[in-house]
Amino acid sequence: QVQLVESGGGLVQAGGSLRVSCAASGSILAISRMGWYRQAPGKQRELVATITHDGRTTYADSVKGRFTISSYTAKNTVSLQMNSLNAEDTAVYYCAASVRVGMESPWTNYWGQGTQVTVSS
């Protein structure tokens, strides 16, 4: 089984910074991509940023220039540095990873339990 555990959420004032991290553990053969999604109250879950095993990144337009995703392949971890936060960034942030647990296994998406990020205005 594969587990994703997030850490680092919390309360921050508008304009401030916060860093969330995620560590994947378990029977992992390989990870092709890790990323962050978020879900605000009453809204659908949306992509924030992703990073592939070879370092290619994608960002939602709303966070470009403010958020930076990074990963440490050897440790199966991913972090999201969030700067210039505003109230619209308030949401539960979820870590996701596309994982292969064996040579004959398909790539499977796993999710963390989520960490709350609240930006006060």
Side-chain angles (χ1 to χ4, degrees), residues 4 22-26 28-31 34 71-78:
L4 301 181
C22 171
S25 63
I28 297 172
L29 176 65
I31 297 177
M34 298 187 79
S71 68
Y72 299 90
T73 306
K75 296 184 178 181
N76 291 335
T77 61
V78 63

Side-chain angles (χ1 to χ4, degrees), residues 2-3 8 10 21 25 31 38 41 46 49 57 63-64 68 74 79 86 96 103 109-111 113 117:
V2 176
Q3 298 85 36
S21 297
S25 63
I31 297 177
R38 68 186 181 187
E46 63 176 2
T57 58
V63 306
K64 283 181 180 177
T68 302
S79 295
N86 57 60
M103 291 299 293
N109 293 326
Y110 290 87
W111 293 86
Q113 80 286 355
V117 171

Side-chain angles (χ1 to χ4, degrees), residues 49-71:
T50 64
I51 185 167
T52 63
H53 67 93
D54 56 355
R56 287 173 290 139
T57 58
T58 60
Y59 294 93
D61 288 342
S62 59
V63 306
K64 283 181 180 177
R66 301 189 298 123
F67 291 11
T68 302
I69 190 170
S70 58
S71 68

Side-chain angles (χ1 to χ4, degrees), residues 4-7 9 20-23 34-41 43-50 69 78-80 82 89-97 110-117:
L4 301 181
V5 178
E6 299 107 334
S7 61
V20 290
S21 297
C22 171
M34 298 187 79
W36 290 93
Y37 293 74
R38 68 186 181 187
Q39 187 166 19
K43 295 186 177 181
Q44 290 188 330
R45 190 173 299 187
E46 63 176 2
L47 179 147
V48 178
T50 64
I69 190 170
V78 63
S79 295
L80 185 69
M82 303 180 287
D89 296 316
T90 295
V92 177
Y93 283 70
Y94 296 91
C95 174
Y110 290 87
W111 293 86
Q113 80 286 355
T115 185
Q116 177 70 45
V117 171

